[in-house]
Amino acid sequence: MVREGLFSMLLETRPIFKNREFLRPSYTPEELPHRDSQIHQLARILAAPLRGETPSNILIYGKTGTGKTASVKYVTRELEKVSDRSPLKVKLVYINCEEVNTKYRILATLANTFLEKLRCSRDAVELPESVPMTGWPTDEVYKCFFRAMDGEKQLAVIVLDEIDKLVLKSGDEVLYNLTRMNSDLKNSKVSIIGISNDLNFMNYLDPRVRSSLSEEELVFHPYNALQLKDILEKRAKISFVDGVIEDGVISLCAANAAREHGDARRALDLLRVAGELAERQGDEKVSVDHVRRAYEKIEQDKMVEVIKTLPSQSKLVLYSIVILMERMPRSIVSGEVYSVYRDLCSQAGLDVLTQRRVGDLISELDLLGVISAKIVSKGRQGRTKEIKLNVHPTQVMAAIQGEQLVTIDTLKLSRQLTLV
DNA sequence: AATCCACAGGAAGCCCGGGAAC
DNA sequence: GTTCCCGGGCTTCCTGTGGATT
């Protein structure tokens, strides 16, 4: 009976999504509304080398979700299409500097990209098959990349996304090498597109790199609520079944994201999660209520991610707070947290930090928004911090579970012991 | 008004690991 | 390989503090 009901429910419920992939950040849309001027500017700069001019390097600024990456991917994709009919072939290399963030790895990635291309077109005896991801001297990798690239007449467009992360971690040396290449290359040309969230990262650069890298600068301003609404409507049309979105849903998503520095990615996430919540509940339409709950879910998920990346001592402090929460839902004070924490440490066989240090860890948790702490004075009972948990205890538990130092068995054990 | 609690949080310095320079 | 330097995590020691209680 139950099974029959289960399946009939699934079959009877009308689907909500046509294709939810269009709402994911990985999707590069066919058209990018409200980015026409930036796209034209980009295209104009990148088209110059096809006419034989020396390419300019481009630096793109803008906060997250303002369409920087999508615009660059869109324009470079079009450029590659056109280059088939042009005498100068265009080769695009996209590198996300959050993952590839050292000089060696950048050069190795570039070298391997061009070696592979060269191998396809003709055999290059004097060059190696590929560069290992570790081991070689860095200048050897550079030479290899240089020769592999110059082996053919082409324009290399190197996109360095999140370039600020690279500079912060490994300095600007590799950028210096790349920006100087054009003067040494005989056959090919290179054009660098740097994408950055951080407007100040240029201050960390060598002046020569700075001027060369920012021959052309493009700024992507945040979208306003109206623009976000327009973007969402276009995307919703292709990703949702017609008529499943109730009035006000898109406006609410747009308004929400506009408040958070006009982040389109966030607006799309909100809409997608709202749709998924509606789908999971078997509702036929996406309502503003779904959006509100989606907002909460996204916030909570973000928190779980934050907790997962916490060092184990901080996790232990947080876990102490959870134990106290379950024991007595009234206010928790820092002294209690410390004594529970000490118990947990001895149970788990971990070093016990001093109260001073745990106080700092509590402040850090507060800063991250995982807890709220405020200083209260209780007269003769002294001055302390009153702590409130901002995440549901079960979510904290879920986030901590993978921790190796604190196995869940130890936690359960110590929980029983402290519960006396 | 004075006292005193139970911490908060600043200052200084130790220790250790990682990276750069020699 | 060794030395030097730096930054982060941590401890020790310390002073400061709001308000209930005396």
Side-chain angles (χ1 to χ4, degrees), chain A residues 242-350:
Chain A
D242 291 342
V244 296
I245 295 183
E246 286 183 2
D247 289 347
V249 164
I250 287 185
S251 304
L252 185 59
C253 290
N256 247 317
R259 244 185 293 135
E260 313 226 348
H261 60 254
D263 185 343
R265 192 178 307 166
R266 196 175 158 78
L268 291 164
D269 267 348
L270 202 54
L271 188 59
R272 177 176 52 82
V273 174
E276 284 170 353
L277 283 176
E279 186 181 53
R280 212 167 301 158
Q281 289 175 327
D283 295 339
E284 296 201 341
K285 289 194 170 189
V286 185
S287 67
V288 284
D289 192 46
H290 289 130
V291 177
R292 289 206 184 91
R293 266 180 289 151
Y295 181 77
E296 280 167 29
K297 184 176 184 302
I298 289 172
E299 287 297 310
Q300 290 279 326
D301 287 353
K302 231 193 317 188
M303 274 299 151
V304 169
E305 254 338 281
V306 168
I307 295 169
K308 273 186 184 161
T309 55
L310 246 31
S312 38
Q313 288 286 6
S314 296
K315 281 182 182 156
L316 216 53
V317 171
L318 184 59
Y319 185 60
S320 310
I321 296 169
V322 171
I323 288 174
L324 283 164
M325 264 277 289
E326 289 178 344
R327 217 158 93 182
M328 39 193 175
R330 62 168 180 81
S331 63
I332 300 164
V333 295
S334 49
E336 294 170 335
V337 174
Y338 186 65
S339 58
V340 173
Y341 160 82
R342 235 183 9 212
D343 282 359
L344 282 177
C345 279
S346 52
Q347 295 302 322
L350 286 168

Side-chain angles (χ1 to χ4, degrees), chain A residues 11-168:
Chain A
L11 290 172
E12 277 163 25
T13 314
R14 286 201 305 144
I16 284 192
F17 287 106
K18 251 190 270 182
N19 186 350
R20 78 190 71 195
E21 292 308 312
F22 294 139
L23 293 171
R24 292 194 193 278
S26 51
Y27 169 69
T28 310
E30 286 302 316
E31 55 169 327
L32 288 151
H34 309 289
R35 285 294 174 247
D36 293 342
S37 76
Q38 282 92 344
I39 286 174
H40 281 128
Q41 221 175 326
L42 254 178
R44 183 180 53 74
I45 301 163
L46 285 173
L50 296 184
R51 293 192 299 264
E53 296 166 32
T54 314
S56 299
N57 297 321
I58 310 166
L59 201 59
I60 297 174
Y61 291 117
K63 298 207 168 161
T64 43
T66 49
K68 303 183 297 292
T69 306
S71 299
V72 169
K73 283 191 171 170
Y74 173 80
V75 174
T76 46
R77 197 174 56 197
E78 295 295 313
L79 183 71
E80 275 188 312
K81 277 188 211 164
V82 180
S83 84
D84 292 341
R85 282 178 270 126
S86 138
L88 192 62
K89 293 278 172 284
V90 173
K91 176 71 186 171
L92 173 75
V93 190
Y94 176 87
I95 296 178
N96 188 327
C97 300
E98 196 170 19
E99 296 148 27
V100 185
N101 55 10
T102 63
K103 185 183 176 187
Y104 186 96
R105 294 183 63 199
I106 297 264
L107 290 174
T109 307
L110 290 170
N112 284 331
T113 310
F114 287 97
L115 281 173
E116 191 182 328
K117 187 166 180 258
L118 210 59
R119 220 177 29 249
C120 294
S121 51
R122 67 191 143 98
D123 51 349
V125 191
E126 76 280 16
L127 283 170
E129 279 236 333
S130 69
V131 174
M133 282 324 270
T134 175
W136 282 20
T138 313
D139 57 338
E140 200 65 37
V141 181
Y142 175 78
K143 274 181 211 156
C144 182
F145 158 55
F146 186 94
R147 278 160 55 201
M149 204 181 98
D150 212 24
E152 198 170 358
K153 193 172 164 60
Q154 61 183 331
L155 168 68
V157 179
I158 301 172
V159 182
L160 298 173
D161 206 346
E162 311 212 36
I163 193 171
D164 44 321
K165 303 262 166 65
L166 169 72
V167 174
L168 213 65

Side-chain angles (χ1 to χ4, degrees), chain A residues 145-213:
Chain A
F145 158 55
F146 186 94
R147 278 160 55 201
M149 204 181 98
D150 212 24
E152 198 170 358
K153 193 172 164 60
Q154 61 183 331
L155 168 68
V157 179
I158 301 172
V159 182
L160 298 173
D161 206 346
E162 311 212 36
I163 193 171
D164 44 321
K165 303 262 166 65
L166 169 72
V167 174
L168 213 65
K169 174 138 195 291
S170 314
D172 58 2
E173 210 186 327
V174 65
L175 297 179
Y176 181 71
N177 290 341
L178 291 177
T179 49
R180 279 181 28 147
M181 274 184 89
N182 272 338
S183 53
D184 299 330
L185 288 165
K186 290 191 183 65
N187 300 315
S188 52
K189 295 273 176 206
V190 59
S191 177
I192 300 165
I193 304 180
I195 305 179
S196 168
N197 296 323
D198 181 5
L199 289 156
N200 297 318
F201 98 100
M202 289 290 274
N203 299 334
Y204 307 116
L205 293 179
D206 182 302
R208 285 171 297 181
V209 178
R210 197 185 306 171
S211 63
S212 152
L213 197 61

